[in-house]
Amino acid sequence: MSNFYEERATMIAAGDLQEFVPFGRDHCKHHPNALNLQLRQLQPASELWSSDGAAGLVGSLQEVTIHEKQKESWQLRKGVSEIGEEVDYDEELYVAGNMVIWSKGSKSQALAVYKAFTVDSPVQQALWCDFIISQDKSEKAYSSDEVEKCICILQSSCINMHSIEGKDYIASLPFQVANVWPTKYGLLFERSSSTHEVPPGPPREPLPTMFSMLHPLDEITPLVCKSGSLFGSSRVQYVVDHAMKIVFLNTDPSIIMTYDTVQCLHSVWALRRVKTEEENVVLKFSEQGGTPQNVASSSSLTAHLRSLSKGDSPVASPFQNYSSIHSQSRSTSSPSLHSRSPSISNMAALSRAHSPALGVHSFSGVQRFNLSSHNQSPKRHSISHSPNSNSNGSFLAPETEPIVPELCIDHLWTETITNIREKNSQASKVFITSDLCGQKFLCFLVESELQLRCVKFQESNDKTQLIFGSITNIHAKDAAPVEKIDTMLVLEGSGNLVLYTGVVRVGKVFIPGLPAPSLTMSATMPRPSTPLDSVGTPKPLSKLLGSLDEVVLFSPVPELRDSSKLHDSFYNEDCTFQQLGTYIHSIRDPVRNRVTLELSNGSMVRITIPEIATSELVQTCLQAIKFILPKEIAVQMLVKWYSVHSAPGGPSYHSEWNLFVTCLMNMMGYNTDRLAWTRNFDFEGSLSPVIAPKKARPSETGSDDDWEYLLNSDYHQNVESHLLNRSLCLSPLEVSQMKDEDFSQNLILDSSTLLFTHIPAIFFVLHLVYEELKLNTLMGEGIRSLVGLLVQLARDLKLEPYVDHYYRDYPTLVRTTGQVCTIDQGQTGFMHHPSFFTSEPPSIYQWVSSCLKGEGMPPYPYLPGICERSRLVVLVLSSDVPSGTETEEEDDGMNDMNQEVMSLIWSEDLRVQDVRRLLQSAHPVRVNVVQYPELSDHEFIEEKENRLLQLCQRTMALPVGRGMFTLFSYHPVPTEPLPIPKLNLTGRAPPRNTTVDLNSGNIDVPPNMTSWASFHNGVAAGLKIAPASQIDSAWIVYNKPKHAELANEYAGFLMALGLNGHLTKLATLNIHDYLTKGHEMTSIGLLLGVSAAKLGTMDMSITRLLSIHIPALLPPTSTELDVPHNVQVAAVVGIGLVYQGTAHRHTAEVLLAEIGRPPGPEMEYCTDRESYSLAAGLALGMVCLGHGSNLIGMSDLNVPEQLYQYMVGGHRRFQAGMHREKHKSPSYQIKEGDTINVDVTCPGATLALAMIYLKTNNRSIADWLRAPDTMYLLDFVKPEFLLLRTLARCLILWDDILPNSKWVDSNVPQIIRENSISLSEIELPCSEDLNLETLSQAHVYIIAGACLSLGFRFAGSENLSAFNCLHKFAKDFMTYLSAPNASVTGPYNLETCLSVVLLSLAMVMAGSGNLKVLQLCRFLHMKTGGEMNYGFHLAHHMALGLLFLGGGRYSLSTSNSSIAALLCALYPHFPAHSTDNRYHLQALRHLYVLAAEPRLLVPVDVDTNMPCYALLEVTYKGTQWYEQTKEELMAPTLLPELHLLKQIKVKGPRYWELLIDLSKGTQHLKSILSKDGVLYVKLRAGQLSYKEDPMGWQSLLAQTVANRNSEARAFKPETISAFTSDPALLSFAEYFCKPTVNMGQKQEILDLFSSVLYECVTQETPEMLPAYIAMDQAMRRLGRREMSETSELWQIKLVLEFFSSRSHQERLQNHPKRGLFMNSEFLPVVKCTIDNTLDQWLQAGGDMCVHAYLSGQPFEESQLSMLACFLVYHSVPAPWHLPSIGLEGSTSFAELLFKFKQLKMPVRALLRLAPLLLGSPQPMVM
């Protein structure tokens, strides 16, 4: 008897049975065209089922005899809505006669006609197909392209295609089509083979049998086939094999299944785009001409082959036999690898294959489809005699060029050959199904053998190919996939419908409406349709679940060797099915979980297979458990659950969870009948026949168990404590305690069950699901259900922390004690504890809370696809919260910038971060080197270090640019030394992030490589100090480093202090002290610094200081001091600075002589003479700056003439003056003769002339500087010097400079312009007397010089035309660099010119942060190696620094003094390496500081003291180039140079107007600008700032409500309509904020609602309204002590923590006006209320309760929920954390504080716990 139940329990009830009639059939009758098509009554069933083989091809075609013997057919698919998303209804495509009817379902109704088509001739087939509209034919294009969805209708001679958009196409077919298949790429045609094959008479090439068409407008092209051969090589050819029939085609994955009718084998092929090499192979064959051998002329050949075949061939015709042999000879052409005629040995066949008679057939007749050398079987020599192809081969004209094939099939798998193969074992139905764990199977039904063969396949790891596995046979008459629930339905031969998942049997399907089999044999067996309750006494569910294993159900099929034996056990009982009248004949049209059954009487019913789970909670849990379990176990678990869940009359939605818990716990080994909380589950017994056994007891009379059950029920406990009970003095029953013990003994888990070993893993993933559901407010009910299960498991696994965690979340649901099931100690070892299992429960709330407090947290565990919300929360937080690591980061020297102002200037992007990234030099660089196989490890290390050396060239050049970027941005603290970021010259090599270091000794590193880089680093750090800072001599000395290696940085620091004017405070004694040390760098920095600080003062003491270092300024008799050369250079420039613009005669005379200082006899002055000469020239220029011809008292010195001579050369003049003695004897080393060495003196002299005649527009001097215009003269000048001459000439003719490229080109002499190659040309014009190299170099240098002068002329002006002109040239130079003939000019020269143009651009756009220039700099930053040396990097990063000068607060001035300083700083010859000072002293690069001036005007709102936007109107004075004009600027902005302006005005209407008149003097504005440019502005009443309201739309509305009105009642709900039109808010105001008569108590709530609504509307955060109200209600609930779960309290706690978090505070400081999404006045009230409520509870006895909890003693049930609230809100650690910190001996609060530090408990919580822990009874309340 029980056997019957077990069998019955595995039945699966199908739902939703309805009769099915194809919708189109009915529609056809009424269709206008239907007159001639009237469907006759359906024939009797016997005629219907003459099933033909092709039936499986369209989904089996049901034949209905129509008037002209036309058939009807239809197919169904999953609906696709207009938008393209999947929807849960069917679409039907119905074909009858000439009509095709497409109908769609929808949510609201059954099917309705979508489109109907009528065509001229009978429709052979109709199908859906998506064509891709794309030009790009590559494989990648498929994911993204737009798709044209079409219906294709096949007629005998053409195919019509109708797209959804309404386009119609018609394509005629060049052959008879047997079948059309839709593919991922387009359509696939099978050509039908004609009935009478002509014997291979005149040699013909076989025609392909498969063709593709990728778009209705494309031509039809043959398919290519690529198959692996017996010998491993693969072979490519057209598909010409008639025996190959397609039985199945799938789009994703894109595969084809074919059947070979001769070999009787199925094969699977991948369908893909043809690769070009395959195209070439196929087309190449078709081009070979030649006279073929006449194959069939010799019948002797046939006879010979005949004899070979030993007469075994079953066919009589010699040709057919020839074909069978020949087919063997094609080694690879058949898709299968096995020969067709087993009788012939392979060797014989191969020798035939290579015999000349079967040689290369290439037939001119059908040139387009010429095939590969091995001819396919001669059956195909005929041209099919279908009506439209006649025997002369008109299939395709011979002359046409070959058709290029587009698709290729690639062999993947062929089934293995068996000894017995029936002739017709073609699959009648094929589908792909996947099992519950996502393993995929390709199933094909061979009806003749009643077999469903399932092949497992999977994608390879790289997703490129499919790997096929073993084949499993299932006995079946028909089958269909149930895609939605990953199962398939199998119709067994006996007529049973069985559900499988993959190859694992799930159970029979019970169809309620079908007449059940009348089991006449045994009268005792009840009919299955009778309700089960009436039968005998069923067993409890748990036994039922346990016994499921013993039935023959779950053995996966492969274990059985002989598939025929598999289901014998079911045959006996099913034999009677055949006697019934109606039985299921076949299954068709599966869509999602619906399928149609055809019955033997011809009618059809559509059934629905139940889903795995209906409630979201069970679905999520199943998904999580499936994810964690091994695949086989997961399948078994799911099968078990499914058969319980879907049993006939299964559970309703609500009890599904209870059923799931029972089922799961049984599988884990629990006895759910004995477990108190599962025993009380209500399964709504009446509804559930299967689980009814749960309730029914074995005997009618009842038993002891019933009594026990009653005693243990909650009801009994309530009665016991009832008053009546006491008054009647009824003694409580003793039995119950005994029974408890009894229970505890029995409850041992059964360790043999399926899931026992996986309990910890399942518990952990269910816990993660629990945490995930906390983030979904709609799943509250689900969490409460889940908690019960989790608590039971946590108790049994002895996981105290988890139990405590659940108690704190749901205090009323989780009792602290409960029934524990013991797990046998011996068995715990077998439990599998996964690696990710943690003893502390992961809590999403706790994680977020720790993040907000900035504490370190372990990463949060994540289940893909299940914990998606947790993942988002964690990701958002980790990206948003500044972790504590930020402060510990190494200082990159750019942390002190004024972020506030910069974020106003560049508000729309992150360019400032990008600049910081480019200019930081404190982090290791990334060294990316690929290790090629031929590199040994040692060479690879060297390779990396060499790469690092290249990158270090860039790193060492960064500090100069960084100094510009951070200029004057920091006020130092007098008690701390200045932080100097370290210069990091190490690298990190991915992928392992290993350190690469230059000091390892593997490669040679130049000595002192970093000395100048450190110097620049020191300058950059020192220049951060703002001029207004308070600094004294002591602080400067205090910064002196202890380590000698930092001396260079300190030297730079001293120079910087000079440049910002602080060095004057350094006591002379200290200066003397530093100089006597004799450290070269310190001297350079100090001398330049002091001079810069005393600019133009002629200060005597400084002059003396400098003179000591310049031999020429000492008296002739003085002792010679050994002064290092670079120090002399610095001293000479220093003289120039101190005497700037004074035209001091003596100094000028000495400096003039020093330009041409000859090398001394004893090797003195012999090295780096160029830089000394240049320095003297620059100094001379500075001394006589702009004096031009008015050099008073210097006419006898002939300064210009002497300089001219230095520039062009000539005889050296006799030295006048006191230094005659020194230069009497010439140098012993350098033979210069008595001419001037122009290479040394020219640059200094040129620039001296430029500075002396700066802006004087003196034409005569300028003409000296014109570039030579004959080839002869050009040969005399170094091209580099032409740059300087052009620059000098333009600076003199200052007013002639025009910002356009025409002017730039006008500087180039005609000879160069005419003959210089334009760099883009490939041909070089050749001419005898012209030196092309010289011409092209001269050309680029002259252009660069003109560009540089443009930069000086428009420095800091942001002039648009100058910018466009320079930008064009910069782009040109970049293209020249990559031009083919850049080598003529030389890359070094081009790089120099590009750097010069880039610097000019940066000068024009100084301080503006222009994006285009930034992009250029960023591009050049990435270029390392090759020609890019230290100097070019220096130039590029100086450009970047100028662009963001002082963080956008500074710009450049064009005063004479500034131009002189910039000439020193930007001298256009860059050092070749980091220690190179030969041509120009590197320290001078920092003199740009003297040209920088603050010009940023920042409006500051006087009320909030915050920077803001304001509109300025700037009026320019009129000049010779333009009239007086006005311009509007949005401040904060850089002003133009003040001497150009007339007035500045702050414009209304938002701010009060303000006028600054500059015609009366610029002093006032200058002082404003020097104090950070702060201009106070005042907002008018009722206006909003530009940042809050950029368009000015809110301000008018905002006037209706006085801002921040403290009295909320002044806010009338009516006025809300001025702010919002949201109906929800308006009705909230209407119903919740309007006072009614006698409000009384409610007035307070009403006021609260009004003010909350007002807050939300004015701050534009209406979405926060529900949050406010929820918080308010939660507080009130807590006050009434009715909080049964603490999630609301957790959330309030998180909100409070967020608002006090560091990241939020920082955000507040940066953007105080940024609208908060919650009112900061509301939160303190919330906090205070909760604190008070909990403190009152503590005083009213809660303290005892907390004490009991912490010491692990029991406490009152009534206090459970408040205690949990207290623990959560104050984050009290769990009791087992306390002993570890040793609380016992604590005597004072301080001690407690110290001990609790590690538990991260807040101080305010500790204050409340202190009295309990310290033992004093009175709690402290704050």
Side-chain angles (χ1 to χ4, degrees), residues 1383-1555:
S1383 55
V1384 178
T1385 319
Y1388 173 83
N1389 299 314
L1390 286 172
E1391 287 284 6
T1392 305
C1393 295
L1394 174 58
S1395 303
V1396 168
V1397 178
L1398 187 64
L1399 280 167
S1400 322
L1401 252 180
M1403 284 162 76
V1404 175
M1405 305 310 285
S1408 70
N1410 179 284
L1411 212 50
K1412 282 187 176 171
V1413 189
L1414 174 57
Q1415 281 162 351
L1416 285 177
C1417 294
R1418 194 165 57 180
F1419 173 74
L1420 292 167
H1421 172 88
M1422 298 318 293
K1423 272 175 70 172
T1424 52
E1427 279 292 330
M1428 291 300 286
N1429 60 28
Y1430 168 77
F1432 294 139
H1433 285 305
L1434 189 69
H1436 302 154
H1437 291 96
M1438 282 180 76
L1440 182 58
L1442 282 174
L1443 193 63
F1444 286 85
L1445 194 57
R1449 288 171 307 127
Y1450 282 74
S1451 188
L1452 295 175
S1453 146
T1454 54
S1455 65
N1456 289 1
S1457 166
S1458 301
I1459 287 171
L1462 284 172
L1463 274 173
C1464 297
L1466 306 180
Y1467 177 70
H1469 187 295
F1470 305 107
H1473 49 82
S1474 57
T1475 50
D1476 177 15
N1477 288 299
R1478 178 172 172 185
Y1479 293 99
H1480 176 259
L1481 183 66
Q1482 287 190 40
L1484 303 181
R1485 296 276 169 208
H1486 297 282
L1487 292 179
Y1488 66 83
V1489 179
L1490 303 175
E1493 59 176 8
R1495 290 221 296 270
L1496 182 74
L1497 197 60
V1498 184
V1500 171
D1501 188 321
V1502 72
D1503 299 316
T1504 62
N1505 208 17
M1506 295 304 301
C1508 58
Y1509 291 112
L1511 199 60
L1512 299 185
E1513 184 184 75
V1514 175
T1515 311
Y1516 287 86
K1517 294 178 190 162
T1519 64
Q1520 62 186 79
W1521 292 280
Y1522 51 84
E1523 311 283 299
Q1524 175 172 323
T1525 48
K1526 289 186 179 175
E1527 188 188 10
E1528 282 198 351
L1529 300 171
M1530 182 61 88
T1533 177
L1534 282 170
L1535 295 176
E1537 288 193 73
L1538 303 188
H1539 64 82
L1540 302 172
L1541 302 183
K1542 188 176 173 190
Q1543 65 174 37
I1544 295 176
K1545 177 174 161 192
V1546 177
K1547 289 190 66 171
R1550 302 194 183 193
Y1551 291 94
W1552 292 98
E1553 297 197 359
L1554 191 69
L1555 181 75

Side-chain angles (χ1 to χ4, degrees), residues 138-201:
S138 73
E139 204 58 72
K140 288 190 203 68
Y142 284 99
S143 45
S144 55
D145 284 307
E146 22 175 344
V147 172
E148 198 165 14
K149 294 189 163 60
C150 293
I151 287 251
C152 307
I153 301 172
L154 176 69
Q155 303 172 59
S156 56
S157 59
C158 63
I159 182 163
N160 303 32
M161 283 149 285
H162 304 279
S163 82
I164 290 191
E165 281 81 52
K167 295 183 189 162
D168 294 341
Y169 308 95
I170 188 162
S172 60
L173 300 169
F175 45 76
Q176 286 272 260
V177 173
N179 243 318
V180 193
W181 299 88
T183 71
K184 175 175 169 185
Y185 308 96
L187 288 177
L188 186 66
F189 298 98
E190 272 184 283
R191 186 168 67 82
S192 59
S193 50
S194 61
T195 43
H196 27 267
E197 294 284 355
V198 177

Side-chain angles (χ1 to χ4, degrees), residues 452-498:
L452 180 68
R453 300 183 185 148
C454 308
V455 191
K456 185 170 168 181
F457 69 93
Q458 60 191 56
E459 277 189 342
S460 59
N461 291 339
D462 55 357
K463 304 272 190 240
T464 50
Q465 63 197 83
L466 298 173
I467 300 161
F468 282 78
S470 56
I471 190 164
T472 310
N473 292 337
I474 294 178
H475 174 81
K477 187 167 131 191
D478 201 351
V482 186
E483 167 207 4
K484 187 173 183 186
I485 54 173
D486 293 332
T487 52
M488 61 177 171
L489 271 180
V490 174
L491 177 63
E492 296 184 335
S494 56
N496 273 336
L497 207 53
V498 180

